[in-house]
Amino acid sequence: MPIVIICIGVALLLLLITVFRLNAFISLIIVSILVGIMEGMAPLEALESVKNGLGATLGDLALVLGFGTMLGKLMADSGGAQRIADTLIAKFGENRVQLATVITAFVVGIALFYETGFIVLIPLVFTVAISAGLPVLYIGMPVVAALITVHGFVPPHPGPTAIAVIFHANIGKMLLVGILTAIPAVLVGGVLYTKMFKKENLHCNIPKELFNPKKLTDKEMPGFGVSVFTSLIPVILMFIHAFVEIFFPKSPLLHYVGFIGDPAIALLIAVLLGIFTFGLHKGKTMDSVMKTVTESITSIAMILLIIGGGGAFKQILIDSKVDQYIAHLMEGTNLSPLLLTWLIAAILRVSLGSATVAGLTAAGIAAPLVNVSGVSPELMALAAGAGSITFSHVNDAGFWIYKEYFNLSIGQTIKTWSVMVTIISLVGLGCVLLLNIFM
């Protein structure tokens, strides 16, 4: 049976990644070919399907990932992220410093990958906590919550964008519902959950070898307005496209805003602007700025391959007609396709550790349900994204980054990080089910 073969494939994927510690991309390619053969495809046919799936997925996402990474690197190296953080904290004051850091992480996180945003903001977390006399985790947990939520829910981050492509979801609409969902998820999972702890339980010893931030002078950093505007240009352009598409679907402007609102073009415009605002305008040479741009790409090579591998697995399921079998199986079922999609992603997340692999694999399995159920593809993509960031433990790199930077025991990390991301995931699911009433 196709479902049994899928289960065997997923079990093999878990075995290769968790037991044999094989690279996720290599594991995805091996499992994709084997699942295709077990589903009745000839070996060469399965290989061709893998190539098509990998190429189609990367064809949609390579520009988004590449330009997004360039913008994030320009922003971090120039001090733009530091400027945004320092200004917000100064405006909010020490009494509301937690809220200020959450907004900072939310804004900065839109332009940066989770890991990059974490590394950029963690020195700020340490500095703010010490200067305000607050426990490090009281500041750190909400910041991390904002970063991981944006990473899982909001395009143009690679996970949500890749999942949106699989579900044929509108990126602009998903951006809107993603932000609407991310705000309550961060407030509940990051801010309210942190307040449930006694402050003495949120103390940790800052590792001295990790706390050596490079503080730029006021003169070296770009201005606050310029930093915010440059980092949010992609979001602004995609919002404009979504707004015109929703409220003025017959407008002659739709063709033009559709072009500049495309995630790749929006990010390209932001990168070109960032080359000037974060580089040339601050006295850097073009060679120096281009070096930063080149260095940024090396950090996403494996991310690109893993996403392509997820696309290959999805294509195998489609070409071997598994999608049709699942669609037929789900006909007449009372189980919400949104809940089912979240559940598949959550199980894979707990088993595999990788949010990207969990979200993409769940999307590949659940994609046929969109046509059967008529559920919004944007909400299906968001359900997969929410499920993909649930309970994180020792098989997730994010778990260890959090643990080591905050110098926590495994037990402390589970109580704070693991439970926090699970709350965020559940709030995300709740918002998706609520939005489904109106969409």
Side-chain angles (χ1 to χ4, degrees), residues 24 55 75 99 158 199 236 238 242 279 359 376 413 431:
M75 184 177 173
L99 179 60
K199 285 193 176 181
I236 293 170
M238 284 188 278
S376 161
T413 308
C431 290

Side-chain angles (χ1 to χ4, degrees), residues 24 84 125 145 149 155 160 197 214 261 283 319 324 356 379 406 409:
I84 293 171
V125 169
T149 303
F197 289 86
K214 179 185 177 183
D319 291 349
Q324 296 179 14
T356 302
L379 293 183
F406 289 120
S409 67

Side-chain angles (χ1 to χ4, degrees), residues 71 74 230-231 233-234 237 265-275:
L71 177 61
L74 287 167
T230 304
S231 64
I233 272 289
L237 294 177
I265 299 301
L267 283 164
L268 172 59
I269 292 171
V271 168
L272 293 175
L273 181 61
I275 289 172

Side-chain angles (χ1 to χ4, degrees), residues 258-433:
F259 176 74
I260 64 171
D262 180 88
I265 299 301
L267 283 164
L268 172 59
I269 292 171
V271 168
L272 293 175
L273 181 61
I275 289 172
F276 176 75
T277 58
F278 292 149
L280 302 179
H281 184 63
K282 300 305 296 179
K284 295 183 179 181
T285 65
M286 180 61 83
D287 287 342
S288 173
V289 177
M290 289 302 102
K291 182 180 178 182
T292 297
V293 168
T294 301
E295 289 174 350
S296 69
I297 298 302
T298 60
S299 66
I300 65 163
M302 188 50 63
I303 292 174
L304 277 169
L305 288 177
I306 290 173
I307 289 174
F313 187 55
K314 177 264 302 184
Q315 194 63 42
I316 281 288
L317 298 178
I318 292 175
D319 291 349
S320 61
K321 311 301 182 185
V322 172
D323 60 331
Q324 296 179 14
Y325 177 83
I326 294 175
H328 177 72
L329 193 66
M330 293 302 299
E331 288 179 357
T333 182
N334 293 323
L335 184 63
S336 165
L338 294 170
L339 180 58
L340 180 63
T341 301
W342 179 90
L343 189 60
I344 294 170
I347 291 171
L348 290 170
R349 163 65 160 174
V350 173
S351 303
L352 295 174
S354 170
T356 302
V357 174
L360 287 171
T361 305
I365 293 172
L369 303 182
V370 173
N371 294 329
V372 173
S373 63
V375 173
S376 161
E378 291 78 31
L379 293 183
M380 289 287 281
L382 196 55
S388 75
I389 63 169
T390 195
F391 190 80
S392 163
H393 56 96
V394 294
N395 63 355
D396 176 25
F399 177 94
W400 294 103
I401 291 173
Y402 178 94
K403 175 188 177 299
E404 295 303 317
Y405 266 85
F406 289 120
N407 200 18
L408 304 173
S409 67
I410 288 181
Q412 289 173 315
T413 308
I414 290 174
K415 287 179 183 178
T416 54
W417 161 260
S418 301
V419 175
M420 180 179 69
V421 295
T422 303
I423 292 172
I424 291 169
S425 177
L426 290 170
V427 172
L429 173 63
C431 290
V432 166
L433 296 176

Side-chain angles (χ1 to χ4, degrees), residues 41-335:
M41 301 173 71
L44 284 177
E45 186 183 3
L47 179 60
E48 190 65 27
S49 179
V50 165
K51 290 179 180 178
N52 290 339
L54 189 139
T57 302
L58 293 184
D60 285 327
L61 295 176
L63 291 175
V64 172
L65 293 173
F67 291 140
T69 304
M70 292 176 193
L71 177 61
K73 181 70 171 172
L74 287 167
M75 184 177 173
D77 287 2
S78 69
Q82 182 184 325
R83 171 69 79 182
I84 293 171
D86 290 349
T87 303
L88 285 176
I89 290 168
K91 296 291 184 184
F92 276 77
E94 289 188 3
N95 292 334
R96 290 176 290 182
V97 71
Q98 190 187 61
L99 179 60
T101 51
V102 168
I103 294 174
T104 299
F106 205 97
V107 173
V108 171
I110 289 176
L112 300 178
F113 290 117
Y114 167 73
E115 293 83 359
T116 306
F118 188 99
I119 300 304
V120 167
L121 292 179
I122 201 66
L124 175 70
V125 169
F126 293 155
T127 303
V128 169
I130 291 171
S131 62
L134 293 168
V136 172
L137 289 179
Y138 183 80
I139 302 297
M141 285 176 63
V143 166
V144 173
L147 290 173
I148 193 64
T149 303
V150 173
H151 179 81
F153 291 5
V154 183
H157 277 281
T161 308
I163 293 169
V165 169
I166 292 175
F167 280 111
H168 301 291
N170 181 286
I171 298 293
K173 290 180 181 178
M174 189 177 173
L175 177 65
L176 290 172
V177 296
I179 290 178
L180 286 174
T181 303
I183 291 172
V186 172
L187 291 176
V188 176
V191 178
L192 294 181
Y193 180 60
T194 304
K195 294 184 184 297
M196 293 177 64
F197 289 86
K198 293 180 179 179
K199 285 193 176 181
E200 56 265 28
N201 294 331
L202 294 175
H203 282 288
C204 64
N205 296 318
I206 301 173
K208 293 181 179 179
E209 66 275 12
L210 296 179
F211 186 44
N212 185 28
K214 179 185 177 183
K215 290 288 288 185
L216 299 177
T217 65
D218 190 72
K219 187 176 180 180
E220 290 175 314
M221 294 186 293
F224 175 73
V226 168
S227 299
V228 171
F229 180 71
T230 304
S231 64
L232 292 184
I233 272 289
V235 179
I236 293 170
L237 294 177
M238 284 188 278
F239 263 129
I240 292 172
H241 176 213
F243 180 82
V244 174
E245 188 174 45
I246 294 170
F247 296 104
F248 304 100
K250 297 182 179 180
S251 171
L253 293 175
L254 186 60
H255 178 75
Y256 302 100
V257 297
F259 176 74
I260 64 171
D262 180 88
I265 299 301
L267 283 164
L268 172 59
I269 292 171
V271 168
L272 293 175
L273 181 61
I275 289 172
F276 176 75
T277 58
F278 292 149
L280 302 179
H281 184 63
K282 300 305 296 179
K284 295 183 179 181
T285 65
M286 180 61 83
D287 287 342
S288 173
V289 177
M290 289 302 102
K291 182 180 178 182
T292 297
V293 168
T294 301
E295 289 174 350
S296 69
I297 298 302
T298 60
S299 66
I300 65 163
M302 188 50 63
I303 292 174
L304 277 169
L305 288 177
I306 290 173
I307 289 174
F313 187 55
K314 177 264 302 184
Q315 194 63 42
I316 281 288
L317 298 178
I318 292 175
D319 291 349
S320 61
K321 311 301 182 185
V322 172
D323 60 331
Q324 296 179 14
Y325 177 83
I326 294 175
H328 177 72
L329 193 66
M330 293 302 299
E331 288 179 357
T333 182
N334 293 323
L335 184 63

